[in-house]
Every structure is written in structure tokens, then in C-alpha cells.
Amino acid sequence: MTLIADRPGPGAARPYRFPPVVRRAVAGGQVVAAHLPGQNLAVALLLLDVGAGQEPVGKEGLSGVLAKALEEGTAQRDAAAYALAVEGLGTALSTGLDWDSFQASVVIPVDRLSAAVELLAEAVRTPRLDPADVRRVRDDEATALRMDWANPGPRADAALRADLFGAQNRWGRPMHGDPESVAGLDVEDVTVFHSEWFLRPGTLIVAGDLDRIDLDALAAAAFAGTGGGPAERGGPIEVPMHNGRRIILVDRPGAVQSTLRLGHPSPHRAHPDHVPMTLAGTVLGGAFTSRLNHLLREVRGYTYGIRGDFAASRRFGRFAVSSGVQTAVTAPALVEAVGEITRTQTSGVTEDELEVARSWRAGQLSVELQSPRAIASALTTLVVHDLPDDYHARLRESLLSADVDQVSAAAATHLHPEALTLVIEGDAAVIRDDLQAAALGDLLP
């Protein structure tokens, strides 16, 4: 028996209103805040202009080890005393990093926000960094990476990044490092990195009921003991496209599946084509209903799922496709994926496909931007990528007003199927001949 159902049409995107953005300079740093009237919870996030991109080549994973080491006590309290102080306020210190920034944040009732920011600043500005603690954190992180890299995926991701951006560049290596780079860090690496980057004022992000929050007092606590000018951000990195497709085999003997990573460089996050690029990526591979997923999962049955989209940092970006397929269909799956990318680049998108993508992307905003933490994250995007304060207020309309010509033009401009790097992590002895016969590109040694 065959079941046939019509795909439901897109629903109307729910409206939303992003709160006004407040900016001020205080105590050598910057405060960026959003007023959430009546909200009892508030978020304070200290944003520093240092991320994986500032790590020296060969020291990949340094900022991640430092972020973990911040939880091991401060100059004023040991780890147990610091943990008790934070837990006594009913919150937790959260840290995170990406290519462009380091973040430390707390979520807490408004009436305890000031005390929480003092503890946050204590950890970031004056960590204990006891050598024994740093070495233990480093070893834990290296062990976690070894476990992760034993699975399919990380080696393929690393091979793709190295080929696109060059392994001699920091952005051509894994953002969190690899087991060897992290294991090779020493205590001095961590302490020097902290003294160089973590004593700059940075930006304090606040989302909450500003009628009940003293922003100047919070900033004074967050920026106390800091100095130095703002970090040098650098401009967008020009990454050349390859002349012709390239195939890289990452051997995994005996694998019953092949892990696929396809990609090429793309523009940085603040590029004016970001919205139409996002919608083009959504139609091609960014949603369950996308072209790639429909063809390779629903029609061919090659995979449980395949995704492709544009991802960008402040200085560079990349278009990437990822999936896992049975070893026997590795070459056919790649042929179909490259063909679908080529079709989207040459033929653009249809109005029906775009309507689904617009509705989904715009509708997500009313769901995603509800909590104080989500608002704080959105404010962080403004700061990191130098976007205008009304960016999120206009984003819904920008998504809904993008037309077929704009999105198709973005696909034609920013998709480069002829310059793709195809990385396959799998049983090289089994799939090599099929890949050569498929003639998708040069098979690198």
C-alpha cells in the first residue's frame, strides 16, 4: 500500500518586536543593553574581543582550556569557595567562545544581578590559574578531544578547513584544537594569553528590566582593574577559491559508512547579502524540506539526513554540506549532491520553495528571541559583527521581503560548485576507484 500526502503549506510568520538597544561608554568599556519591562530574570554577559582566531598557530585550543580554568577558583577564593558563592546566588557561571569572542555570563533574578556580575568579573579578571589545576584542565580537554576524534567527523571537518583556509593559518585549523595541540599546551601559554587578552575592558551585555538595574554600577564592577585599548579586530579575510574541484580521502579502514564534508569559502557575517544567502542555503540544504535532503534521503535513500548552509564569522565564512552515507553509495551520493548545488547555482530558487524558507526563518524569530538569554545573544551578534542597533528589529521584514530574484542572485554569486572541496572519511580501499570513476574532481594524494 502506498501512502500519498500533500506537503502542508507554510503558515504565517508570527510578528515579534525586538526591544530598543541602549548603548553607553562606562569605566573604559562599553555597555549594550535591552530593556525587558517586568522581566524578573536578567542576563549579564561579559564579551571580550578574543576568540580562537587570536590563538597562536600551534596553540589551538588555548582559549578553551583557559575558559575551563576560570572555574577553578580566583585570587580571592579557592574553587570550592567560589562555587559556593555562585551557587549561593542561585546561578552558574557560563563560558563560551567562537572564532571572534569570549563570553562569560550569568542568568539571575534582577535583585541579585549586581552581586553576580562582581563574581563573574572576579573569575574572568583574577583567576587563580594554579599550575596543577591548569594542567589537569588541559589533560581533561585533551582526553575529551581524543574521544571525540575517535568518531567519524572531526578528522573530515579538519581536512576540509585546512584545504579551504590553509593549515598554516589559525582559521585553517579546528576552532577547539585537536588532541595533540591541546595536550602540548603549558601553563605559561595559558597565563600569558590571559594577561594579554582578558584584562581589556570589553563589552558588558545586559538584558533585563532596566528600570530596576543600575547599568553604571554593573559596568564599574565588570571593568574594574582593566586597562589597555580595544583589541585589533582586523578586516575580512580574502580567501581565494580553488581552480577546480578537489577530493580528499581520510582513510577509515573497515568503515561501513562514509562521512561527507563538501565546502568552499564564502563571505563574512556582515556581508550585505547575508539574508538572501541564508534563504538560498535554507532552500538548498538548511531545512528538512530542503532540496538536498529531499533528493538524497527521500528519493534516493542514501542517507538519514544531509544539511548544507552558509556559516560565517566576523572575518570569513564558508558554505558547507555534511552527511553520512553507506559506503556502497559514496560516489553516487556525491554526484547527486554536487548536481543539486550546481542546479541551485545556475537555476536559482522557485517562489514556492522561497515562501517556505521565508516563513520558517521569519517565524523562528518569535520563538527564538523570547528569553533574556536569547536577547543577550542577539545583542552580542550586534557587537561582534558591527551590525546596526535596529538589525534585529528589521530582520523579520528583511526575510519576508526577499524575493526570488534576490535569493537566486545570491545563489548564483555565492555558490561555487566548480570550486568545491569534497572530503570523504571512509574506507579508502573500497571507495577510491568509484570516486575516480565518478570524475568529480582531482583526487589528492
Side-chain angles (χ1 to χ4, degrees):
M1 181 175 66
T2 302
L3 297 178
I4 300 175
D6 293 330
R7 178 182 294 175
R14 294 174 55 190
Y16 85 107
R17 183 178 66 85
F18 195 81
V21 177
V22 176
R23 287 182 184 257
R24 65 179 64 171
V26 182
Q30 178 183 205
V31 176
V32 179
H35 182 35
L36 307 178
Q39 177 63 252
N40 288 321
L41 283 179
V43 172
L45 184 153
L46 183 58
L47 179 69
L48 302 180
D49 276 328
V50 55
Q54 280 72 39
E55 295 171 348
V57 172
K59 303 293 184 180
E60 297 83 24
L62 177 55
S63 49
V65 171
L66 176 54
K68 292 287 187 181
L70 297 182
E71 303 172 10
E72 300 298 324
T74 69
Q76 296 87 344
R77 318 166 205 247
D78 63 21
Y82 184 81
L84 286 172
V86 172
E87 291 172 5
L89 293 177
T91 188
L93 179 69
S94 299
T95 60
L97 62 98
D98 53 27
W99 285 107
D100 304 310
S101 66
F102 169 85
Q103 306 170 20
S105 63
V106 289
V107 182
I108 195 165
V110 174
D111 58 358
R112 303 177 191 171
L113 183 60
S114 179
V117 170
E118 290 179 3
L119 285 173
L120 183 157
E122 183 180 319
V124 173
R125 309 303 192 182
T126 60
R128 182 175 293 262
L129 297 183
D130 180 85
D133 291 333
V134 172
R135 285 190 286 267
R136 174 171 48 79
V137 168
R138 174 203 62 196
D139 293 345
D140 287 347
E141 289 296 289
T143 298
L145 282 170
R146 289 189 191 97
M147 295 173 64
D148 186 40
W149 281 57
N151 297 311
R155 289 198 298 155
D157 291 331
L160 177 61
R161 179 166 291 280
D163 189 69
L164 298 187
F165 302 113
Q168 75 278 9
N169 300 313
R170 176 60 189 94
W171 50 90
R173 301 187 178 202
M175 184 168 72
H176 298 290
D178 59 42
E180 289 70 33
S181 70
V182 172
L185 298 173
D186 59 35
V187 174
E188 185 179 7
D189 293 327
V190 175
T191 57
V192 169
F193 194 73
H194 178 271
S195 65
E196 182 177 359
W197 295 102
F198 280 60
L199 299 180
R200 301 170 189 255
T203 301
L204 181 66
I205 305 288
V206 180
D209 188 341
L210 299 186
D211 290 338
R212 301 160 59 192
I213 296 173
D214 186 339
L215 291 179
D216 291 343
L218 290 183
F223 304 144
T226 63
E232 175 58 45
R233 291 186 166 193
I237 297 168
E238 296 297 328
V239 183
M241 296 286 173
H242 291 311
N243 294 319
R245 283 193 293 270
R246 301 147 67 89
I247 301 172
I248 298 174
L249 266 176
V250 178
D251 193 18
R252 194 176 185 86
V256 297
Q257 288 192 341
S258 293
T259 298
L260 310 182
R261 298 290 188 266
L262 293 69
H264 60 64
S266 66
H268 59 98
R269 174 63 176 79
H271 192 280
D273 284 350
H274 177 74
V275 166
M277 284 169 56
T278 296
L279 291 169
T282 302
V283 170
L284 174 58
F288 188 79
T289 57
S290 70
R291 289 179 172 184
L292 284 170
N293 201 59
H294 177 72
L295 177 61
L296 272 77
R297 173 190 162 101
E298 305 298 331
V299 176
R300 302 301 186 204
Y302 290 160
T303 180
Y304 282 114
I306 180 170
R307 291 190 62 83
D309 54 20
F310 292 93
S313 67
R314 185 163 56 209
R315 304 187 67 193
F316 60 87
R318 69 170 179 172
F319 170 76
V321 175
S322 61
S323 186
V325 301
Q326 292 183 7
T327 297
V329 298
T330 300
L334 287 168
V335 169
E336 296 282 16
V338 171
E340 200 61 51
I341 296 168
T342 302
R343 181 170 77 91
T344 303
Q345 192 266 341
T346 57
S347 302
V349 303
T350 68
E351 178 58 39
D352 288 345
E353 291 173 320
L354 181 56
E355 179 58 27
V356 173
R358 283 189 302 233
S359 176
W360 180 53
R361 288 292 183 184
Q364 278 186 309
L365 298 178
S366 59
V367 176
E368 292 177 348
L369 297 176
Q370 291 189 60
S371 68
R373 182 174 284 283
I375 297 297
S377 178
L379 294 176
T380 299
T381 299
L382 300 183
V383 175
V384 171
H385 301 292
D386 295 320
L387 298 173
D389 286 352
D390 64 348
Y391 175 81
H392 293 292
R394 296 185 292 104
L395 181 55
R396 179 178 183 274
E397 182 56 36
S398 297
L399 289 164
L400 292 176
S401 63
D403 60 32
V404 167
D405 289 342
Q406 291 174 313
V407 176
S408 295
T413 302
H414 300 295
L415 287 175
H416 300 276
E418 78 289 349
L420 284 166
T421 294
L422 316 179
V423 177
I424 305 96
E425 182 180 357
D427 193 331
V430 175
I431 61 180
R432 183 184 297 274
D433 290 346
D434 289 343
L435 291 173
Q436 289 179 325
L440 286 168
D442 294 332
L443 184 59
L444 301 185

